[in-house]
Amino acid sequence: ETGVTQSPTHLIKTRGQQVTLRCSSQSGHNTVSWYQQALGQGPQFIFQYYREEENGRGNFPPRFSGLQFPNYSSELNVNALELDDSALYLCASSLSGGGPIDNEQFFGPGTRLTVL
Amino acid sequence: GESVGLHLPTLSVQEGDNSIINCAYSNSASDYFIWYKQESGKGPQFIIDIRSNMDKRQGQRVTVLLNKTVKHLSLQIAATQPGDSAVYFCAGHSGNTPLVFGKGTRLSVIA
């Protein structure tokens, strides 16, 4: 069984640039959730994708967008980067969409984004 | 809305002692809670969960206690080992809302 993988591991961008982060879900999982984890904080939900459709969104501006592909891998795109976007971006896959009860999320190792 | 917090940002324990990590939540409608462990350079890892209709649940060396009256939960780790050193997060869920994570407690195990 292949776990959740993310790429790249680290990334440095400057303000105003755009970034794309990638996530491969665990084998058999059709749902991917993205989280932002600022230094010293807990993860904060950005959005979830279930069968290629957005299926819930947290309190993030529209410049945070995503995609899910037919193989259930996913991308997180962030436009017009701001300094406060510096964080660890985590993706988590699960067997089905919806809430976490009886639907464990498996997290990837994250992508560390630094915005200068 | 939900907010989830922890009482202490850091906790140091001697190897072999028991650890207790506490968490408070604000939303009385929260119906499900999870404890996660996050080691350096890794994503959060599920430890144990509990539904709001329970007040205690036990796993291997871990126990979660839920007190709905005071909106508090705790994670107890028995016979703490060096491999338990990590940041521990509680996360709460209600209805169709996504998981809300607390800020985390860093557990350091002293050999």
Side-chain angles (χ1 to χ4, degrees), chain A residues 35 37 40-43 45 88 90 99-102 104-105 107-109, chain B residues 31-32 34 36 38 41-44 46 51 89 93 98-99 101-103:
Chain A
Y35 293 83
Q37 186 177 20
Q41 304 291 319
F45 177 76
L88 180 68
L90 296 161
I101 299 176
D102 295 327
E104 183 179 344
Q105 294 185 70
F107 285 83
Chain B
D31 56 10
Y32 181 66
I34 304 174
Y36 287 94
Q38 187 173 23
K42 297 184 179 180
F46 175 97
R51 299 186 189 219
F89 294 96
H93 167 76
L99 279 174
F101 284 77
K103 293 184 179 180

Side-chain angles (χ1 to χ4, degrees), chain B residues 4-72:
Chain B
V4 181
L6 288 118
H7 290 287
L8 291 172
T10 61
L11 176 66
S12 294
V13 298
Q14 289 289 140
E15 181 179 357
D17 287 352
N18 297 334
S19 303
I20 300 177
I21 302 171
N22 295 303
C23 182
Y25 62 96
S26 62
N27 186 353
S28 57
S30 295
D31 56 10
Y32 181 66
F33 301 90
I34 304 174
W35 280 99
Y36 287 94
K37 172 186 181 182
Q38 187 173 23
E39 297 174 277
S40 181
K42 297 184 179 180
Q45 179 185 9
F46 175 97
I47 301 173
I48 192 168
D49 60 356
I50 189 167
R51 299 186 189 219
S52 59
N53 61 354
M54 304 171 70
D55 52 21
K56 180 178 180 179
R57 191 158 190 230
Q58 288 184 291
Q60 187 177 11
R61 283 201 306 120
V62 294
T63 301
V64 55
L65 299 178
L66 175 62
N67 185 330
K68 294 181 288 294
T69 302
V70 295
K71 290 184 278 189
H72 178 273

Side-chain angles (χ1 to χ4, degrees), chain A:
Chain A
E1 185 177 275
T2 306
V4 179
T5 60
Q6 293 186 243
S7 62
T9 307
H10 297 85
L11 200 53
I12 299 175
K13 291 285 189 178
T14 57
R15 274 187 306 173
Q17 286 189 311
Q18 178 266 342
V19 70
T20 298
L21 310 181
R22 296 178 175 82
C23 171
S24 291
S25 59
Q26 185 161 309
S27 177
H29 288 185
N30 60 20
T31 302
V32 172
S33 302
W34 285 93
Y35 293 83
Q36 180 193 67
Q37 186 177 20
L39 199 61
Q41 304 291 319
Q44 190 171 0
F45 177 76
I46 303 174
F47 43 56
Q48 180 185 81
Y49 276 82
Y50 170 61
R51 293 186 174 181
E52 304 178 58
E53 297 287 331
E54 188 177 289
N55 182 42
R57 188 179 182 94
N59 189 25
F60 280 81
R63 59 190 185 84
F64 285 78
S65 63
L67 280 174
Q68 189 178 30
F69 300 99
N71 67 354
Y72 304 130
S73 65
S74 177
E75 288 183 354
L76 164 65
N77 299 290
V78 187
N79 294 323
L81 284 167
E82 301 177 359
L83 296 179
D84 285 349
D85 295 333
S86 294
L88 180 68
Y89 288 85
L90 296 161
C91 78
S93 73
S94 54
L95 272 172
S96 64
I101 299 176
D102 295 327
N103 189 30
E104 183 179 344
Q105 294 185 70
F106 294 81
F107 285 83
T111 293
R112 173 74 62 188
L113 173 65
T114 302
V115 182
L116 302 176

